[in-house]
Amino acid sequence: MSRNKDKTEHASKKAHHRPGAATRVRNYFLTGLVITGPIGITLWLTWTFIKWVDGWVKPFVPKVYNPETYLPFSIPGFGLIVAIFVLTIVGFFAANFLGRSLISFGENLVGRMPLVRNVYSGLKQIFETVLDERSNSFSKAALIEYPRRGLWAIVFISTETKGEVAKRLKNKADTVSVFLPTTPNPTSGFLLFVPKEDIVELKMGVEDAAKLVISAGLVSPDLPDILDDVIAEPEKLERIRKREDA
């Protein structure tokens, strides 16, 4: 009797813990959302970008060279292909002596325009920094205590501090330029000049750190990697603490 009673209680407990139909449907829906959400958003952004480029480029393509003139349907991405082709041709001509001479002449002409030269100079420097394959900008992620002691924030190491800022701080500290991104939009943030000894470098890559910032901590790299990084520099953390106490 007792054995049958135990079997009955075990079966009732198992049935009690089994999720109901509504719970299973909700879990299926959330699983499907997690799978299809990133795919759908990626496709939508890609399609929007293609349509945006087509809208800019197609009006400048002569009708005789536009296949949509002869076809009864439009060709998505044709403007993007034309843009890539034109940019490649421009880069090819800019690589020779004549092209460099023309670019130099144009830059000298723009340099004489008071407002335009500032805009052009800033944009050129940004594009060269972002697109230069040899650039090591934002090659590492790190931690700093911000906005106060005891609170830690993720930053992207840019480069050693240069120019007038480095000269002014030379007698105070050996600083590094870091970018402190905001959540959930990492394209905005703060430029900080932080002493090297206050920076704790992370093993995680910049992409993983960006995911951590964008997701507000919900998506993080594997825990062992983070632990190895923290354990590797316990003395550095202790030095930061002691200096703050002093």
Side-chain angles (χ1 to χ4, degrees):
M1 289 289 295
S2 61
R3 183 176 298 177
N4 293 334
K5 184 177 180 181
D6 292 340
K7 290 182 178 180
T8 303
E9 291 179 355
H10 178 71
S12 62
K13 290 181 180 180
K14 187 175 181 180
H16 178 71
H17 291 291
R18 183 180 302 169
T23 303
R24 290 198 299 271
V25 171
R26 184 192 65 183
N27 293 339
Y28 293 153
F29 170 76
L30 294 177
T31 302
L33 183 62
V34 170
I35 294 174
T36 60
I39 297 175
I41 294 175
T42 302
L43 292 176
W44 178 77
L45 290 175
T46 303
W47 179 256
T48 302
F49 175 74
I50 292 175
K51 297 292 288 184
W52 178 75
V53 176
D54 284 352
W56 273 93
V57 177
K58 282 184 179 180
F60 297 98
V61 179
K63 292 184 178 180
V64 66
Y65 298 115
N66 191 343
E68 295 182 0
T69 306
Y70 314 101
L71 298 176
F73 54 87
S74 61
I75 303 177
F78 174 73
L80 180 61
I81 295 174
V82 173
I84 294 174
F85 176 77
V86 171
L87 291 176
T88 304
I89 294 298
V90 171
F92 171 76
F93 284 110
N96 57 46
F97 176 77
L98 179 60
R100 289 195 298 269
S101 300
L102 291 175
I103 293 175
S104 179
F105 173 77
E107 289 183 343
N108 291 333
L109 185 62
V110 172
R112 299 174 183 175
M113 303 178 183
L115 181 61
V116 177
R117 65 186 178 190
N118 296 332
V119 177
Y120 173 77
S121 177
L123 291 176
K124 181 183 178 182
Q125 188 172 3
I126 292 174
F127 272 80
E128 287 179 346
T129 302
V130 173
L131 299 179
D132 188 0
E133 296 180 355
R134 298 166 296 178
S135 175
N136 58 355
S137 299
F138 297 159
S139 60
K140 293 182 180 180
L143 291 172
I144 63 170
E145 281 192 300
Y146 183 89
R148 64 170 176 81
R149 177 186 170 186
L151 299 182
W152 294 85
I154 288 181
V155 295
F156 300 134
I157 298 177
S158 175
T159 181
E160 292 187 359
T161 307
K162 301 177 182 179
E164 182 182 356
V165 177
K167 186 177 181 180
R168 295 285 185 179
L169 299 177
K170 182 172 62 175
N171 297 329
K172 298 181 180 295
D174 189 9
T175 60
V176 175
S177 303
V178 301
F179 176 71
L180 174 66
T182 57
T183 301
N185 179 19
T187 59
S188 64
F190 305 94
L191 171 63
L192 305 176
F193 303 102
V194 184
K196 287 184 178 180
E197 58 267 21
D198 291 350
I199 296 176
V200 179
E201 294 185 6
L202 299 175
K203 283 188 176 181
M204 72 172 72
V206 174
E207 292 184 359
D208 289 333
K211 293 177 184 177
L212 186 61
V213 172
I214 294 172
S215 65
L218 297 178
V219 178
S220 61
D222 293 336
L223 186 60
D225 292 340
I226 300 177
L227 289 179
D228 290 343
D229 183 77
V230 175
I231 294 173
E233 298 187 4
E235 298 180 357
K236 192 170 187 177
L237 291 172
E238 186 63 24
R239 287 199 304 269
I240 296 175
R241 293 292 189 187
K242 290 181 179 179
R243 188 167 61 257
E244 291 292 339
D245 292 338

Short mmCIF file of all heavy atoms in Angstrom, two decimals, residues 179-190 213:
data_model
loop_
_atom_site.label_atom_id
_atom_site.label_comp_id
_atom_site.label_asym_id
_atom_site.label_seq_id
_atom_site.Cartn_x
_atom_site.Cartn_y
_atom_site.Cartn_z
N PHE A 179 37.42 55.82 -24.74
CA PHE A 179 36.05 56.21 -25.08
C PHE A 179 35.10 55.45 -24.18
O PHE A 179 35.12 54.22 -24.14
CB PHE A 179 35.74 55.90 -26.54
CG PHE A 179 34.32 56.19 -26.94
CD1 PHE A 179 33.86 57.49 -27.04
CD2 PHE A 179 33.43 55.16 -27.20
CE1 PHE A 179 32.55 57.77 -27.40
CE2 PHE A 179 32.12 55.42 -27.56
CZ PHE A 179 31.67 56.73 -27.66
N LEU A 180 34.28 56.17 -23.44
CA LEU A 180 33.29 55.58 -22.54
C LEU A 180 31.94 55.58 -23.23
O LEU A 180 31.31 56.63 -23.36
CB LEU A 180 33.23 56.36 -21.23
CG LEU A 180 32.14 55.94 -20.25
CD1 LEU A 180 32.42 54.54 -19.72
CD2 LEU A 180 32.07 56.93 -19.08
N PRO A 181 31.45 54.43 -23.74
CA PRO A 181 30.18 54.41 -24.46
C PRO A 181 28.99 54.43 -23.51
O PRO A 181 29.10 54.07 -22.33
CB PRO A 181 30.24 53.07 -25.20
CG PRO A 181 31.08 52.20 -24.32
CD PRO A 181 32.08 53.11 -23.68
N THR A 182 27.87 54.87 -24.02
CA THR A 182 26.63 54.88 -23.25
C THR A 182 25.77 53.68 -23.63
O THR A 182 25.94 53.09 -24.69
CB THR A 182 25.84 56.17 -23.51
OG1 THR A 182 25.58 56.30 -24.93
CG2 THR A 182 26.60 57.38 -23.04
N THR A 183 24.85 53.33 -22.76
CA THR A 183 23.93 52.21 -22.97
C THR A 183 22.54 52.75 -23.27
O THR A 183 22.08 53.66 -22.58
CB THR A 183 23.90 51.32 -21.72
OG1 THR A 183 25.21 50.84 -21.44
CG2 THR A 183 22.97 50.13 -21.92
N PRO A 184 21.83 52.21 -24.27
CA PRO A 184 22.20 51.10 -25.16
C PRO A 184 22.81 51.56 -26.48
O PRO A 184 22.98 50.76 -27.37
CB PRO A 184 20.86 50.43 -25.41
CG PRO A 184 19.89 51.58 -25.45
CD PRO A 184 20.40 52.59 -24.44
N ASN A 185 23.10 52.85 -26.60
CA ASN A 185 23.65 53.38 -27.85
C ASN A 185 25.14 53.64 -27.68
O ASN A 185 25.54 54.68 -27.14
CB ASN A 185 22.92 54.67 -28.24
CG ASN A 185 23.46 55.28 -29.52
OD1 ASN A 185 24.13 54.60 -30.30
ND2 ASN A 185 23.20 56.56 -29.73
N PRO A 186 26.00 52.73 -28.14
CA PRO A 186 27.44 52.90 -27.92
C PRO A 186 28.09 53.92 -28.84
O PRO A 186 29.28 54.18 -28.69
CB PRO A 186 27.99 51.48 -28.19
CG PRO A 186 27.05 50.91 -29.19
CD PRO A 186 25.68 51.48 -28.85
N THR A 187 27.34 54.49 -29.78
CA THR A 187 27.92 55.49 -30.66
C THR A 187 28.06 56.84 -29.99
O THR A 187 28.74 57.72 -30.49
CB THR A 187 27.08 55.64 -31.94
OG1 THR A 187 25.74 56.04 -31.58
CG2 THR A 187 27.03 54.33 -32.70
N SER A 188 27.38 57.02 -28.85
CA SER A 188 27.55 58.25 -28.07
C SER A 188 28.27 57.90 -26.78
O SER A 188 28.24 56.76 -26.32
CB SER A 188 26.18 58.88 -27.75
OG SER A 188 25.42 58.02 -26.93
N GLY A 189 28.93 58.89 -26.22
CA GLY A 189 29.67 58.62 -24.99
C GLY A 189 30.57 59.77 -24.64
O GLY A 189 30.31 60.93 -25.02
N PHE A 190 31.65 59.46 -23.92
CA PHE A 190 32.54 60.49 -23.41
C PHE A 190 33.99 60.13 -23.72
O PHE A 190 34.39 58.97 -23.63
CB PHE A 190 32.38 60.65 -21.89
CG PHE A 190 30.97 60.91 -21.46
CD1 PHE A 190 30.15 59.86 -21.07
CD2 PHE A 190 30.45 62.20 -21.45
CE1 PHE A 190 28.84 60.09 -20.67
CE2 PHE A 190 29.14 62.44 -21.06
CZ PHE A 190 28.34 61.39 -20.67
N VAL A 213 27.61 46.28 -23.58
CA VAL A 213 27.09 47.62 -23.37
C VAL A 213 25.71 47.78 -23.99
O VAL A 213 24.78 48.31 -23.36
CB VAL A 213 28.06 48.66 -23.98
CG1 VAL A 213 27.46 50.06 -23.94
CG2 VAL A 213 29.40 48.64 -23.24
#
